[in-house]
Amino acid sequence: MKKMFTFIIFVILTTTSAIAFANLPTNTKATRENLLEDAVIDLLRPQIGKVIENHYGTTFEIGTFCERIINIKKLDHPGSWLFQTKLEFTTFTGTHNSLDVFTVTLKKIGIQMIG
């Protein structure tokens, strides 16, 4: 009986704490600027992968986090499709092993990406 009571208390505490932490609000608002920054970072994933491969020789088990755009600008006239993006990210391997902090400038010239 004592084991059953302990088990029930354990289940109640686990469930209650999981529900309480699941409903915490985040500090980041889904503004247009944040959504556009996330979209640009997502579109630049292949080029970020090339930067990692050029530096480490592989992308195997190497990930990135804390990606942020430092600067983005058009290279020619305002209606052109030529962009230069400066972004920063941290690489990691495994669970808690941060490797390096990168600051990378990528240029889109026509349909070619230069990193």
Side-chain angles (χ1 to χ4, degrees), residues 16 43 62:
T16 306
L43 290 172
I62 298 175

Side-chain angles (χ1 to χ4, degrees), residues 24-36:
L24 288 176
T26 62
N27 292 333
T28 306
K29 302 291 182 192
T31 63
R32 180 176 169 82
E33 184 177 344
N34 290 342
L35 292 173
L36 290 173

Side-chain angles (χ1 to χ4, degrees), residues 49-103:
K50 288 178 185 175
V51 169
I52 291 171
E53 187 169 4
N54 288 343
H55 184 75
Y56 295 111
T58 184
T59 57
F60 183 68
E61 293 187 356
I62 298 175
T64 63
F65 67 101
C66 295
E67 300 94 347
R68 71 183 185 104
I69 294 178
I70 297 171
N71 187 18
I72 188 167
K73 64 181 178 180
K74 287 196 175 200
L75 295 177
D76 261 349
H77 57 85
S80 76
W81 290 95
L82 308 176
F83 297 96
Q84 179 175 315
T85 307
K86 186 174 184 178
L87 57 112
E88 183 179 81
F89 58 89
T90 303
T91 56
F92 71 92
T93 182
T95 309
H96 299 286
N97 302 324
S98 294
L99 296 175
D100 295 307
V101 176
F102 284 87
T103 302

Side-chain angles (χ1 to χ4, degrees), residues 12 14 21-22 30 37 50-51 82 107 114:
I12 290 171
T14 305
F21 286 115
E37 181 176 16
K50 288 178 185 175
V51 169
L82 308 176
K107 295 179 184 177
I114 300 172

